Amino acid sequence: MSKFHSNVSRRDFMKALGVVGVGAGTAAAATPMFHDLDEVIASPIAGKKRSWWIKDLEIGKPTVEVDWNVLSRYDDGNCLHGVSGRLANFVGADAVNALNAEREATRMDGIRNGRSGYTLKDDALRYGASEDWGHVPMSYVLTDIPITVMGGRVPSYQDLGVPKYVGTPEENSRMMRAALRFFGASDVGFTELGSRERALVYTRHPNGKKIVFEQVDKAYERADAYVMPDKPLWIVSVAVQMSKEMFRHGTGTIRIAANTTRYRLWSIIQQCSQIFLYELGYQGIGYPIFHHGVVPAAADAILTGMAEAGRNDNYCISPEYGSVCGYYSLITDLPLAPTPPIDSGIFNFCHTCRKCAETCPIEAISFESEPSWDIPNSKIVPEQTPIWSALGKKVFHTDAPACMSIWYSLSCARCMGNCVFNTNPAAVHNIIKGIIGNTSMFNSVLWQADKLFGYGLTPEEEREDWWNLDLPVMGQDSTIGAIHGGYNT
């Protein structure tokens, strides 16, 4: 069976590391300073429960270096991650067809022969997880055209005969966090879409439409473009948990079920959020299609402090949710108080840890000890200029064409399932996170200890045990970040 937590006591673990304890001085150094209760209440992080070792950084300066002078708007049509059909631009249609055929052959073999992780009920689970995409329409933006939900028209503030909602940015952030958590978001962060951050907005959407700014009050869609209003805007970054246990399968359709479920949940969260903002008198600019918006969601998650960059730059890592979490972006004209980027030791830890790189079947993840500004050429298309990522960020660059080739053929996510931070809640893990957040002295020991204790991917012969586990609803831990309602009493 998969291991949910270690049976090593916290005393024995600390003794083995030679750590007597984390002093009050260390905790105090990592704690934001407030002068009075009004400052505490006004802080955008006041309503957000974070562990003591997570430190706030300057707005726009996460742990991964960003050269805002170099970073410019990027053509999302060159991005490979998670978009069907683009790999053919780099390896050719015949290679993609062969990979798809291999994936289908593996799937059918599993269904016909009852192979663990690929059985008929695994496949049914995968398709059931995405059934609601056709029932909850995605919309780039809601307009003044009457919107109906459950047979009734959604009113605007004007229909109700009341003034447009107005609140302080701090009040608005608290309101949006409460609303989106109720709609199904696991976590929420905020940042301004200022002149600097506009470099994050794609120049073109995967469906071919341009993304442009115009002197208009509201966003709208036309035949050739998605139009953004050239006025103050803010990004709402939204996290949606996925099942840690299902991702430990690494490959197979049961792992895909965990991934597709987040898009179904996001489609609901987006529609609810857009309607919520519409009635208040504001606009929610969302995803025109279920899996792609107008800005890179992982970048927003890092800039808003929900996560840090990791060794594999295809995803980011949250101190609370680990590596198995999806992120989305909603853009609004409702003024919001930004939440700052964080340093919880994760990006620094990834400098030493190579567990995800070791488990990659095609070695697409960097083994380098330091991140780089330069995007390396792909091992499978070495002659092509690397345009699958944007310049201007110092990260561990993943070989996207190589990664996507194995993703196509195996539906692979071994790196995420095998990540050191893909752990279930346990006291010893909180101690470890506290150590990582304050010192890098034990990083090389800790990632090796993770392997020693048997964490990581579920052996294929044990994958069917998932059907007999009593797991949280949707594989999520909704108590993370909850401080009211009796959850942690």
Side-chain angles (χ1 to χ4, degrees):
M1 293 293 293
S2 300
K3 298 185 178 181
F4 291 92
H5 54 79
S6 172
N7 59 7
V8 179
S9 71
R10 67 176 70 185
R11 179 181 178 85
D12 289 343
F13 180 79
M14 299 296 280
K15 186 176 179 182
L17 290 177
V19 178
V20 176
V22 180
T26 303
T31 304
M33 297 298 294
F34 299 100
H35 299 91
D36 55 37
L37 188 58
D38 288 339
E39 286 189 23
V40 175
I41 295 172
S43 169
I45 64 172
K48 191 170 183 178
K49 184 180 179 183
R50 302 300 292 268
S51 297
W52 58 268
W53 65 84
I54 302 172
K55 298 174 282 294
D56 292 339
L57 302 179
E58 183 179 341
I59 296 293
K61 292 187 177 181
T63 47
V64 55
E65 291 183 60
V66 178
D67 189 338
W68 293 99
N69 293 320
V70 173
L71 194 66
S72 61
R73 294 181 64 189
Y74 175 69
D75 186 348
D76 192 36
N78 296 324
C79 176
L80 278 162
H81 183 62
V83 180
S84 301
R86 283 211 208 133
L87 185 61
N89 296 336
F90 299 95
V91 301
D94 290 342
V96 171
N97 290 337
L99 291 169
N100 282 330
E102 181 182 350
R103 176 175 59 183
E104 186 62 14
T106 302
R107 169 176 170 256
M108 294 309 300
D109 175 73
I111 293 173
R112 290 167 180 159
N113 297 298
R115 182 181 170 190
S116 179
Y118 291 86
T119 65
L120 179 61
K121 61 181 180 181
D122 293 336
D123 205 68
L125 184 70
R126 172 244 182 121
Y127 281 101
S130 43
E131 174 62 25
D132 272 351
W133 289 353
H135 298 278
V136 182
M138 301 299 289
S139 175
Y140 169 63
V141 65
L142 299 180
T143 68
D144 291 328
I145 299 172
I147 308 157
T148 58
V149 175
M150 300 195 61
R153 184 180 184 278
V154 175
S156 69
Y157 72 96
Q158 295 166 316
D159 296 323
L160 299 173
V162 296
K164 178 179 179 178
Y165 166 83
V166 177
T168 67
E170 290 75 18
E171 291 170 338
N172 296 344
S173 290
R174 284 178 174 273
M175 176 183 71
M176 289 298 290
R177 176 172 172 78
L180 268 71
R181 286 271 290 180
F182 175 71
F183 294 148
S186 300
D187 199 3
V188 186
F190 313 101
T191 194
E192 185 178 2
L193 185 62
S195 57
R196 180 179 61 181
E197 290 80 10
R198 283 196 183 186
L200 299 175
V201 179
Y202 296 127
T203 58
R204 185 167 61 92
H205 193 269
N207 63 14
K209 287 191 176 185
K210 296 180 295 182
I211 303 170
V212 299
F213 286 86
E214 291 183 356
Q215 294 292 327
V216 294
D217 183 56
K218 290 184 177 294
Y220 70 95
E221 179 181 355
R222 65 184 191 219
D224 65 333
Y226 296 110
V227 179
M228 304 271 287
D230 190 6
K231 68 176 188 177
L233 296 170
W234 287 262
I235 298 175
V236 182
S237 184
V238 179
V240 178
Q241 293 180 66
M242 295 181 283
S243 169
K244 296 176 181 290
E245 191 63 21
M246 294 168 81
F247 261 78
R248 291 188 186 112
H249 287 204
T251 60
T253 47
I254 198 168
R255 200 282 307 168
I256 298 176
N259 189 60
T260 54
T261 289
R262 70 182 173 106
Y263 293 106
R264 172 172 55 86
L265 297 177
W266 165 241
S267 68
I268 297 170
I269 295 167
Q270 172 175 305
Q271 186 184 59
C272 291
S273 302
Q274 288 177 314
I275 292 173
F276 175 74
L277 287 165
Y278 173 83
E279 185 166 336
L280 294 177
Y282 298 89
Q283 197 163 32
I285 304 169
Y287 283 34
I289 56 177
F290 69 89
H291 64 280
H292 259 264
V294 298
V295 289
D300 298 339
I302 293 169
L303 289 172
T304 59
M306 290 200 296
E308 287 190 66
R311 178 167 287 275
N312 187 340
D313 71 343
N314 275 344
Y315 57 87
C316 50
I317 303 173
S318 160
E320 292 88 359
Y321 303 109
S323 56
V324 180
C325 190
Y327 297 93
Y328 304 89
S329 307
L330 186 74
I331 298 172
T332 182
D333 52 359
L334 174 71
L336 298 167
T339 49
I342 58 167
D343 180 0
S344 62
I346 289 175
F347 187 57
N348 187 48
F349 183 87
C350 289
H351 283 52
T352 302
C353 181
R354 293 172 175 81
K355 197 179 180 193
C356 63
E358 288 181 350
T359 198
C360 179
I362 201 168
E363 295 187 351
I365 303 171
S366 171
F367 278 87
E368 297 295 327
S369 58
E370 293 294 330
S372 173
W373 296 101
D374 300 322
I375 306 170
N377 285 42
S378 172
K379 65 176 62 180
I380 66 171
V381 282
E383 72 285 355
Q384 293 195 18
T385 302
I387 59 172
W388 39 82
S389 185
L391 291 169
K393 55 186 186 293
K394 190 177 181 181
V395 299
F396 295 99
H397 293 278
T398 297
D399 184 340
C403 172
M404 288 302 294
S405 69
I406 204 71
W407 183 87
Y408 264 80
S409 61
L410 293 179
S411 302
C412 183
R414 295 178 185 180
C415 52
M416 296 175 71
N418 205 39
C419 177
V420 170
F421 294 98
N422 184 32
T423 55
N424 296 82
V428 68
H429 295 152
N430 290 332
I431 295 172
I432 293 170
K433 290 178 181 179
I435 294 171
I436 291 171
N438 284 278
T439 178
S440 61
M441 186 182 304
F442 305 104
N443 283 359
S444 60
V445 175
L446 290 171
W447 83 272
Q448 294 289 351
D450 185 82
K451 295 193 294 183
L452 180 65
F453 292 153
Y455 294 108
L457 299 178
T458 301
E460 185 169 331
E461 63 272 13
E462 295 181 7
R463 290 182 182 179
E464 282 302 294
D465 290 339
W466 179 86
W467 292 95
N468 300 316
L469 299 176
D470 290 323
L471 297 170
V473 174
M474 292 186 292
Q476 297 183 346
D477 183 356
S478 63
T479 64
I480 296 175
I483 56 177
H484 299 104
Y487 298 118
N488 292 324
T489 58

